[in-house]
Amino acid sequence: MEFKKPNRYGRQRPTQTGSHPNDPTLTHPRATPRPAPSLSTTPVQSPHLVRPIVETKPNKPSLKSAVVSYTQQSLHDRKTLVILAVVILFLITAGAFIVQHNMTSNADDTSVSKEAVDSLEYQTILPEGKSITDLGGWKRVSPAKSDPVYAYIDEIGAVSINVSEQPLPQSFVGNTDDQVAELAKKFSATNKISAGDIKVYAGTSSKGPQSIIFTKNSLLILIKSQEKIDDAAWIKYIKSLS
C-alpha cells in the first residue's frame, strides 16, 4: 500500500471570475460600507431649555372698558365734591354759630354796662360837691364774670371824662407803686404828675385823648378823657375826689 503525502495545496481556491484581485466582480464581493453620518450644525433642543419669552403687545381697551372706567372716575369725583361741600357747609355753620354766640355775649355785657346804680358793694369816691345821681349813676364797665369795675361820666371844663373805680387788686397790695407803674406802661402812661401825695401816671395819644392812672383810698382809678387836659386841671380834679 502506498501512502501519499497530503498536498497542502490540495484544496482549490475559489475561482475568480475577474482578471485582477481587486476586480469588483469577485465571487464574494466585500460588504458595502455604511455612509458616514452627516455633520449637521443644527443644535438639538433639550427639553430642559427655557423657551424664549415672546413679548406681545397689550390689547387696546375696548369701548366698554373705557366707558366703565370713565363712569367710575366720575362717581369718585362726585363723592369727593359732595364731601368737600359738606365740610365747607359745616365750617360756615360753625363759624356763624361762634359769631352769634360772641354777639350774644357782647350784648349781655352791654346790657349790664347800661344799667346804672346808685350804690356799690365797695366804697367809692366822688368829686367834691357832686353825688352819683348828679353824675348819672354808676355803670358797670367790666364783663359780668370778671371782678366788678364801675364808672361814671363827668367833665373837666368842657372836656368829657370817664372815671372808673375798682377795689385795689390783691396782687397790688404790699407793692402798690411798682404795680401801678407797670400797669401804666400798658396804657403808655409814662408822664408822671404829683397831686399832693398821690403819684399820677398820664399818657396822651397822638389824637389827643388821655389816660390817667393812680390809686387813692385803696381804689385803683383810671380816667380817660376825650381831649388833652392841662396838668393843673388834672391835679385839681384828682385832689377833689373824696
Side-chain angles (χ1 to χ4, degrees):
M1 175 179 289
E2 185 180 356
F3 293 94
K4 293 182 178 182
K5 188 177 180 178
N7 188 0
R8 58 179 182 178
Y9 301 104
R11 297 180 182 180
Q12 293 182 348
R13 293 182 179 180
T15 303
Q16 297 180 355
T17 58
S19 60
H20 192 273
N22 295 330
D23 194 336
T25 59
L26 294 175
T27 303
H28 300 284
R30 294 180 181 179
T32 303
R34 295 180 180 179
S38 175
L39 299 177
S40 175
T41 58
T42 303
V44 179
Q45 293 185 355
S46 174
H48 300 289
L49 295 178
V50 180
R51 294 183 179 181
I53 299 175
V54 179
E55 295 183 358
T56 58
K57 295 182 179 180
N59 296 329
K60 294 182 178 180
S62 63
L63 179 60
K64 182 179 179 180
S65 300
V67 171
V68 171
S69 177
Y70 176 77
T71 303
Q72 291 177 348
Q73 184 65 29
S74 299
L75 292 175
H76 177 72
D77 294 341
R78 289 180 182 178
K79 289 181 181 180
T80 302
L81 291 175
V82 170
I83 294 173
L84 182 60
V86 171
V87 172
I88 293 175
L89 181 61
F90 172 78
L91 293 176
I92 292 175
T93 304
F97 175 78
I98 293 173
V99 171
Q100 184 178 4
H101 177 72
N102 292 337
M103 290 178 64
T104 303
S105 300
N106 292 336
D108 293 341
D109 293 341
T110 303
S111 63
V112 171
S113 63
K114 289 182 178 179
E115 295 179 357
V117 294
D118 293 335
S119 62
L120 302 178
E121 60 270 23
Y122 56 89
Q123 187 67 37
T124 59
I125 54 178
L126 297 173
E128 186 178 355
K130 295 182 180 179
S131 66
I132 192 60
T133 303
D134 298 334
L135 298 171
W138 291 102
K139 294 181 181 180
R140 182 161 183 159
V141 293
S142 62
K145 295 182 180 180
S146 64
D147 293 336
V149 180
Y150 287 87
Y152 65 85
I153 297 175
D154 199 359
E155 290 182 352
I156 298 179
V159 180
S160 176
I161 61 173
N162 187 300
V163 182
S164 64
E165 300 179 6
Q166 69 181 97
L168 190 66
Q170 189 64 34
S171 60
F172 282 50
V173 177
N175 193 20
T176 303
D177 293 341
D178 292 340
Q179 292 296 330
V180 173
E182 288 297 324
L183 179 62
K185 290 180 181 179
K186 297 180 180 179
F187 288 89
S188 298
T190 56
N191 184 28
K192 294 181 180 181
I193 303 174
S194 296
D197 296 335
I198 302 173
K199 294 181 181 180
V200 180
Y201 295 87
T204 305
S205 68
S206 58
K207 296 182 180 180
Q210 290 183 290
S211 297
I212 305 295
I213 299 175
F214 61 96
T215 62
K216 188 176 184 179
N217 291 11
S218 299
L219 293 172
L220 178 61
I221 301 173
L222 171 62
I223 305 176
K224 291 184 178 182
S225 66
Q226 297 297 322
E227 298 177 11
K228 189 178 186 311
I229 299 174
D230 293 337
D231 292 350
W234 278 119
I235 294 172
K236 181 179 179 180
Y237 188 86
I238 293 171
K239 287 183 176 181
S240 70
L241 294 174
S242 60

